[in-house]
Amino acid sequence: MKNAQETICAVATPPGMGGIGVIKISGPEACAVPGRIFRSSKAVTAFRSHRLYHGFVVNPETGQTIDEVLLVVMRAPFTYTCEDVVEIQTHSSMAAINSILEQVLKLGIRAAEPGEFTRRAFLNGRIDLTQAEAVIDLIKSKTEKGLSLATHQMEGTLSEVVQRVRKSLIRILAQIEAMIDFPEDMEDENFADAEAALTAGVISPLKDLLGKYDTGHLFREGVEIIIIGRPNVGKSSLLNSFLRKERAIVTSVPGTTRDIIEEGLSIKGIPTRIIDTAGLHPTSDMVESAGIQFTKKRLSCADLILFILDISELLTPEDFSIFNEIRARKKIIVANKVDLVRAWSAKEISQHLCATDIVEISARFNTGIDRLVDVIYETITGSREMAPPSVAPNLRHKRAIERALAGGQAALSLMNEEESPALIAIELQEELDALGEITGETTSHEILDEIFSRFCIGK
Ligand SMILES: Nc1nc2c(ncn2[C@@H]2O[C@H](COP(=O)(O)OP(=O)(O)OP(=O)(O)O)[C@@H](O)[C@H]2O)c(=O)[nH]1
Ligand SMILES: [Mg+2]
């Protein structure tokens, strides 16, 4: 991590064409920047905090105007980073943005690292680590439900639960430490109170939190759905049908799709990636077999498989061989081309494959797609109506909670066995440290570096 005392700058808006581009400056020298490169009808020294001012960014060496902008000075501590912050809203042309950034950098302001603004908000105590992580989740959220999960966490819902558990734990630890310090006063004491407090105030809420991981993961990370089948059964047509646009090339020539084609799709609020693949069959064509290798690789880690059959043709040995490979996986069998004369009924297909529930569709005419979406949703959620929980740990939190729980359970059994308070205190302290990692109180620099490196520059 670089020096947190330096003033930093970055472009906060994504590259490309757009209405406005924002350049953000934060740190002790931020408020001096407008006086050097900004000209307005009002004296820069008279600018009030958190007010937008109209003016021009100029090159101070040549006096040449770079762009007409709006500028805001936000004085500490009521800013994103808790430092002095200046934001310049310019026209979003790469030339204007880069020229302004160049002028700012020339003043000795350093280019920010990914996530450095949010890291400062964390280091300056405005947000804890779970809230900082929620900022990444929010930026990356793909559906409204994923967004709502991130917003809740940003408001501190997860931190509240963790802090409540920590407080209970600190009280129990204090009680146990008193037993170590004043053993004579504690002769008639036993661990009954501490055991009850540990179970109700610590172990049970932590188990409850762990139980919310899977649902949170679903709405945060989403699922990968792969469409497979032999050539020409209509895989690409189905992708296009889901997306309601001609995303993949569809032709009557078997082996049309060679590369992996993937797109994001919300299935009733659950973010998914739908992957169209090359048709699976034995081939000597070099390009096609490279595509098939790609397909097999992605198939191995997909969360759900859509196995497509052509109902207008009899099942082929290729269909059987693909089905055998995915027999044990989470899958939906989809019979396509129901608009044509059927070679077999769905019932006959299920008998031949020894599988139930075949979803019939016509990808060409978009029939049965809504039903297929329902079946996908039910398969992903296990037929439960799902809403994003207001509190849900991510994988990092989950691991820390598991460690904390292990410490809690160990302390509980030591209390049961009436072991020495010193041993119990060690377990409770470990539990406390694990919980502190979630909110950032006891998190190592390496973990912080890893978390903030996932941010984009300018956030
Ligand atoms: N009648 C009918 N034809 C369809 C349907 N779905 C796809 N087709 C046709 O089947 C042919 C193959 O469709 P694709 O979507 O390219 O099939 P694919 O499985 O992606 O094929 P490859 O990429 O070669 O593996 C095209 O001529 C489509 O128009 C359908 O529901 N009904
Ligand atoms: Mg295709």
Side-chain angles (χ1 to χ4, degrees):
M1 187 191 61
K2 292 203 176 159
N3 188 346
Q5 308 305 318
E6 288 171 332
T7 303
I8 51 171
C9 66
V11 180
T13 39
M17 294 250 284
I20 298 171
V22 174
I23 292 149
K24 210 153 102 175
I25 306 154
S26 178
E29 301 300 321
C31 290
V33 172
R36 308 282 296 277
I37 61 166
F38 184 62
R39 301 285 173 268
S40 125
S41 54
K42 203 169 173 125
V44 168
T45 45
F47 281 6
R48 289 170 60 188
S49 187
H50 294 78
R51 289 282 176 97
L52 267 185
Y53 290 93
H54 169 262
F56 300 87
V57 173
V58 295
N59 178 334
E61 285 160 19
T62 61
Q64 203 181 357
T65 298
I66 297 172
D67 195 11
E68 184 179 7
V69 303
L70 290 174
L71 179 142
V72 58
V73 173
M74 293 177 270
R75 295 203 174 84
F78 301 112
T79 64
Y80 186 72
T81 52
C82 290
E83 302 171 334
D84 283 343
V85 170
V86 168
E87 280 183 16
I88 304 172
Q89 298 181 8
T90 173
H91 293 103
S92 178
S93 91
M94 282 318 285
I97 291 176
N98 286 339
S99 304
I100 296 175
L101 196 63
E102 199 183 313
Q103 295 308 324
V104 178
L105 290 168
K106 270 194 200 161
L107 299 176
I109 311 271
R110 169 168 69 74
E113 294 184 333
E116 200 168 357
F117 293 94
T118 309
R119 188 174 190 141
R120 287 181 175 202
F122 163 68
L123 291 175
N124 293 328
R126 193 179 67 75
I127 54 174
D128 73 12
L129 202 50
T130 66
Q131 291 170 305
E133 287 172 301
V135 175
I136 326 179
D137 290 346
L138 191 137
I139 293 171
K140 294 189 175 167
S141 59
K142 300 164 198 99
T143 65
E144 265 180 45
K145 289 183 175 171
L147 177 69
S148 116
L149 185 61
T151 316
H152 277 118
Q153 191 169 313
M154 219 157 84
E155 286 165 357
T157 46
L158 178 61
S159 320
E160 265 171 39
V161 177
V162 174
Q163 292 301 6
R164 213 176 310 133
V165 172
R166 282 193 91 210
K167 274 191 191 145
S168 308
L169 197 54
I170 288 168
R171 270 200 299 275
I172 299 165
L173 192 56
Q175 196 184 336
I176 300 292
E177 275 170 356
M179 288 180 169
I180 303 172
D181 294 342
F182 309 104
E184 61 286 356
D185 295 351
M186 301 291 163
E187 265 170 12
D188 299 331
E189 289 273 339
N190 61 29
F191 295 116
D193 286 354
E195 277 181 59
L198 191 60
T199 309
V202 178
I203 292 180
S204 150
L206 287 183
K207 279 187 178 163
D208 191 46
L209 258 189
L210 264 192
K212 293 185 169 135
Y213 168 77
D214 285 341
T215 320
H217 181 74
L218 196 62
F219 285 103
R220 209 178 264 132
E221 310 295 332
V223 287
E224 221 172 75
I225 302 175
I226 192 163
I227 307 176
I228 63 159
R230 65 181 163 85
N232 230 35
V233 289
K235 299 179 294 300
S236 303
S237 303
L238 177 58
L239 176 79
N240 292 346
S241 215
F242 278 136
L243 301 174
R244 296 168 204 271
K245 66 178 182 191
E246 300 302 305
R247 171 66 182 83
I249 299 172
V250 167
T251 74
S252 56
V253 182
T256 299
T257 307
R258 306 293 180 94
D259 252 333
I260 297 280
I261 302 174
E262 54 184 298
E263 286 283 330
L265 179 74
S266 164
I267 299 275
K268 300 185 173 191
I270 296 175
T272 69
R273 287 205 76 70
I274 304 272
I275 305 164
D276 177 27
T277 60
L280 295 168
H281 73 136
T283 176
S284 53
D285 182 304
M286 249 174 65
V287 184
E288 218 186 342
S289 58
I292 290 172
Q293 286 316 312
F294 272 146
T295 304
K296 290 193 169 161
K297 206 165 155 199
R298 291 302 289 269
L299 177 61
S300 65
C301 50
D303 301 296
L304 174 64
I305 298 166
L306 301 185
F307 173 45
I308 317 296
L309 299 168
D310 180 344
I311 206 166
S312 71
E313 291 175 2
L314 294 176
L315 291 180
T316 67
E318 285 153 12
D319 289 323
F320 283 107
S321 116
I322 299 169
F323 185 72
N324 276 335
E325 271 186 46
I326 59 163
R327 193 176 280 280
R329 302 277 304 274
K330 193 184 262 192
K331 64 190 164 306
I332 299 169
I333 304 169
V334 181
N336 187 30
K337 308 195 187 182
V338 289
D339 55 289
L340 298 178
V341 177
R342 293 157 198 247
W344 268 343
S345 69
K347 198 170 166 203
E348 281 171 311
I349 296 176
S350 52
Q351 276 165 358
H352 276 90
L353 295 178
C354 302
T356 50
D357 288 350
I358 289 173
V359 183
E360 297 188 12
I361 62 160
S362 166
R364 177 185 274 180
F365 295 102
N366 290 321
T367 46
I369 304 299
D370 289 346
R371 165 89 189 113
L372 179 56
V373 167
D374 286 344
V375 175
I376 293 175
Y377 181 79
E378 284 159 18
T379 312
I380 294 172
T381 61
S383 297
R384 282 173 292 144
E385 242 339 284
M386 271 198 176
S390 56
V391 184
N394 64 22
L395 188 59
R396 186 185 76 80
H397 308 145
K398 180 181 179 234
R399 292 205 177 116
I401 295 170
E402 282 167 346
R403 278 197 2 252
L405 258 177
Q409 311 271 26
L412 202 60
S413 32
L414 290 173
M415 288 177 189
N416 253 317
E417 289 153 20
E418 307 247 324
E419 275 288 354
S420 94
L423 283 181
I424 296 169
I426 292 173
E427 296 295 348
L428 293 178
Q429 186 58 52
E430 274 184 19
E431 183 172 15
L432 201 57
D433 290 346
L435 290 181
E437 269 185 26
I438 299 177
T439 44
E441 273 105 338
T442 54
T443 317
S444 70
H445 278 298
E446 289 76 31
I447 294 179
L448 292 180
D449 285 344
E450 205 278 315
I451 291 172
F452 287 102
S453 68
R454 281 185 263 142
F455 276 69
C456 41
I457 289 182
K459 192 65 207 172

